[in-house]
Amino acid sequence: GINSQNDEADDEVTVVQVDGNNGVDYSQSFLKATLLEGEEHVIRNFGGTGKEVKIEVTHINISATPGYAKVQVTYDPCASDADCDDGNACNGFETCNLTTQQCVSGTPEGGGRTIQVNVLTDDYPAETTWDVANPAGTVVMTSGILSAGKTQHSDIIEVF
């Protein structure tokens, strides 16, 4: 795969920050972290939003062919229900799942919400997959194996 000739962090997940071009085409990149199973990295003030993104490696298997890692990315982790309240009663009362540190949406009036996942693949798209799980851990959306390299993949699902 893409890191097969790499001498650094062969059995770790690498976190890289890209500056410029929104990650499209050639851009300057910076190594921010190398993570072993059970480790996490927090990006503060993600994209200038004032919010955090937590990247946690839950499993690494380098014995499989190809090797793979399971990574959980949490946007703006919460510590209490107050962290989740957006002040809008029309979209339901949001709560904090203290186990996952993720906000759980309330039931909105008049329907659900949509989630859109955008992934830009590199030269090795078969090494990229993703899942979206609800707070109970049930996978509600999955990519399967991506086949087209250097392609923007976009999927949308309505959730309640």
Side-chain angles (χ1 to χ4, degrees), residues 3 10 35 48 60-61 65 70 100 115 124 126 138:
N3 289 328
D10 288 336
L35 304 174
I60 296 176
N61 183 343
T65 304
K70 291 185 179 181
T100 64
I115 294 176
Y124 304 91
T138 303

Side-chain angles (χ1 to χ4, degrees), residues 23-147:
V24 178
D25 291 327
Y26 294 100
S27 301
Q28 179 68 43
S29 60
F30 302 92
L31 178 64
K32 292 303 205 177
T34 57
L35 304 174
L36 293 168
E37 185 172 314
E39 292 183 329
E40 65 182 47
H41 176 75
V42 176
I43 302 169
R44 307 215 185 282
N45 194 23
F46 180 74
T49 63
K51 299 190 183 263
E52 295 181 348
V53 171
K54 181 174 81 171
I55 303 162
E56 180 180 5
V57 179
T58 60
H59 182 73
I60 296 176
N61 183 343
I62 59 172
S63 299
T65 304
Y68 66 91
K70 291 185 179 181
V71 178
Q72 179 174 337
V73 179
T74 307
Y75 179 69
D76 201 25
C78 62
S80 70
D81 290 347
D83 293 335
C84 301
D85 184 11
D86 63 5
N88 183 352
C90 295
N91 63 8
F93 178 72
E94 299 85 9
T95 59
C96 178
N97 180 323
L98 297 176
T99 302
T100 64
Q101 295 181 312
Q102 293 181 347
C103 291
V104 179
S105 297
T107 303
E109 296 178 8
R113 298 179 182 170
T114 59
I115 294 176
Q116 180 170 349
V117 176
N118 297 310
V119 175
L120 177 64
T121 53
D122 57 13
D123 289 329
Y124 304 91
E127 295 178 353
T128 304
T129 61
W130 55 263
D131 296 325
V132 173
N134 66 19
T138 303
V139 174
V140 296
M141 190 174 176
T142 186
S143 68
I145 296 174
L146 302 175
S147 59

